[in-house]
Amino acid sequence: MTALNRQWTLARRPRGVPTDADFALVHSPVPVPGEGEFVTRNLILSVDPAQRGWMDEGGNYFPPIPLGAPVSAGIIGEVIASRNDDFPVGQRLYAIGSWSDYSLLGAGFVFRTLPADHDIPLPKFNSLLGGMGCSALIALEEIGKPKAGETLFISGAAGNMGTIAGQIGRLMGLRVVGSAGGAAKCRYLEQELGFAATVDYKAEADLAAALKRVCPEGIDIYYDNVGGPMLEAVLDNINLHARIVMNGSIAEYNDIDPRPGPRNLWNLLVKRASIEGFLLPDFAANIDPALERLEAWYRAGALDAREDVRTDFENMPAIFRALFDGTNTGKLMVRLDGASG
Ligand SMILES: NC(=O)c1ccc[n+]([C@@H]2O[C@H](COP(=O)([O-])OP(=O)(O)OC[C@H]3O[C@@H](n4cnc5c(N)ncnc54)[C@H](OP(=O)(O)O)[C@@H]3O)[C@@H](O)[C@H]2O)c1
């Protein structure tokens, strides 16, 4: 029997939180590589907030996914057919593919290759030891410019980026404070990851006052994963020469109408503070050293990440929504190979 390629495609552009009807599951032939190309059988499909922007008419830092095309996504795959000597059959790698059983790729899509004999659970390469871990480390160092003893505040702190940035912040000697949705997530941050304090943003009527309570000496570095009202609250609490790392704005990704910006941007001038967007490809030279440091911390037991590994590929739209209702319990992904470890 000929193998088929199951692919989740974008049926229409979502308005607000994506619905099932925005996607379609189609079956296509398994692709065949042309000169310089190779085909992966996908083992893990990543489910990321940034994909929401790729579904919009204007895209974000990636061009929009064309209607009817497979939903672009990070994948961990194994090469099964190749016309590129650098990516032989059997090579495992992390690349930008799509929510599909198989991906047709070229070298430009590959973020990293995986060592043949690695002893690390595969999902870790889509969280701590992939683009996410690298982004947390590089953004914190290059834009956050941390100095021991400073206060680092992280929004979306219980998520993948937030937990990694928070642990690295502690390794760098920072006082780490975070916000997350719900008491259970806040307890996890304080009791298991050593956050000095937390804010359950869903339970606070006045976010700026809540930040003043947990950061009485002000905020020196803000690692922003959410944008929206939290950014405004942080701007009311920044210290002189504070650095704001704009890593993501998930609170705004499903907005139908553009929302007004923070009313207090002026505080950047008052505090001679900075705000800078971060995107990993701008720091290509930092990636390999960052991966080495992350793996060393991981092997030493000093740093880890939680993964939320699903297996129900046929429910991809609902899995994607978990990012926006906060029910994911770690780096969200779908495993296709049925294996563990
Ligand atoms: N710049 C880069 O290179 C880069 C790379 C990767 C990710 N990112 C960005 O980093 C952020 C976090 O991504 P992640 O992969 O680590 O996802 P994640 O935090 O593991 O999962 C998303 C979390 O966002 C929170 N959230 C959802 N809607 C929210 C809202 N309206 N207000 C506040 N929090 C909300 C939810 O947690 P709660 O229960 O706490 O609400 C949810 O669990 C995203 O903005 C993403 O786009 C940037």
Side-chain angles (χ1 to χ4, degrees):
M1 200 172 68
T2 314
L4 279 177
N5 188 16
R6 296 173 304 160
Q7 297 187 300
W8 276 105
T9 58
L10 188 65
R12 66 180 188 197
R13 305 219 174 270
R15 273 180 64 76
V17 177
T19 66
D20 290 0
D22 297 329
F23 305 95
L25 184 58
V26 304
H27 295 76
S28 322
V30 176
V32 176
E35 185 58 36
E37 295 178 328
F38 48 97
V39 172
T40 53
R41 182 174 71 86
N42 296 333
L43 310 172
I44 286 183
L45 309 178
S46 195
V47 181
D48 291 289
Q51 289 171 284
R52 179 64 188 82
W54 307 345
M55 295 169 190
D56 285 337
E57 184 87 43
N60 49 25
Y61 50 84
F62 273 0
I65 300 167
L67 287 179
V71 175
S72 309
I75 59 111
I76 293 177
E78 183 169 306
V79 177
I80 56 155
S82 180
R83 292 185 65 192
N84 184 320
D85 291 345
D86 293 334
F87 300 97
V89 170
Q91 174 71 63
R92 288 184 171 194
L93 46 83
Y94 180 98
I96 297 297
S98 60
W99 284 345
S100 312
D101 287 313
Y102 300 90
S103 292
L104 176 66
L105 301 171
F109 293 87
V110 177
F111 172 70
R112 70 166 296 180
T113 53
L114 273 51
D117 54 352
H118 72 78
D119 56 353
I120 293 172
L122 204 53
K124 208 60 77 186
F125 292 100
N126 185 37
S127 65
L128 182 64
L129 303 179
M132 316 300 153
C134 281
S135 295
L137 174 56
I138 297 170
L140 192 54
E141 278 195 329
E142 298 295 326
I143 300 180
K145 299 186 172 40
K147 293 188 268 305
E150 289 188 323
T151 295
L152 164 66
F153 178 71
I154 303 172
S155 56
N160 187 239
M161 298 298 297
T163 53
I164 299 171
Q167 292 170 84
I168 294 174
R170 287 197 67 216
L171 290 167
M172 293 175 175
L174 304 171
R175 176 176 187 266
V176 181
V177 180
S179 62
K185 288 190 179 184
C186 288
R187 252 194 324 275
Y188 162 67
L189 292 171
E190 290 185 24
Q191 294 176 4
E192 295 187 41
L193 298 189
F195 277 54
T198 53
V199 166
D200 172 3
Y201 74 93
K202 290 183 176 168
E204 297 285 348
D206 183 341
L207 288 177
L211 293 191
K212 206 169 290 299
R213 190 176 73 234
V214 294
C215 301
E217 292 178 18
I219 294 168
D220 299 298
I221 307 168
Y222 175 37
Y223 195 99
D224 185 4
N225 286 312
V226 307
M230 187 59 86
L231 175 57
E232 193 167 285
V234 168
L235 285 167
D236 277 342
N237 282 278
I238 50 175
N239 287 334
L240 201 62
H241 303 304
R243 288 83 65 200
I244 298 178
V245 183
M246 186 180 256
N247 185 66
S249 302
I250 194 168
E252 304 175 21
Y253 293 171
N254 290 306
D255 284 355
I256 293 173
D257 297 314
R259 63 174 73 201
R263 66 174 165 78
N264 52 358
L265 261 189
W266 170 252
N267 283 349
L268 290 176
L269 181 153
V270 174
K271 296 293 168 62
R272 278 81 89 206
S274 64
I275 181 165
E276 185 173 339
F278 172 82
L279 208 55
L280 191 57
D282 295 346
F283 295 87
N286 302 44
I287 291 175
D288 284 345
L291 287 171
E292 275 176 32
R293 290 167 70 196
L294 291 163
E295 187 169 330
W297 274 324
Y298 170 71
R299 288 193 184 280
L303 176 63
D304 205 349
R306 292 197 300 192
E307 290 86 30
D308 181 343
V309 182
R310 315 282 177 101
T311 51
D312 47 338
F313 174 77
E314 59 286 353
N315 290 327
M316 205 51 127
I319 295 172
F320 187 46
R321 283 194 291 274
L323 291 173
F324 304 108
D325 63 23
T327 51
N328 63 312
T329 56
K331 174 72 198 86
L332 195 57
M333 62 190 86
V334 171
R335 190 154 189 159
L336 292 178
D337 62 352
S340 58

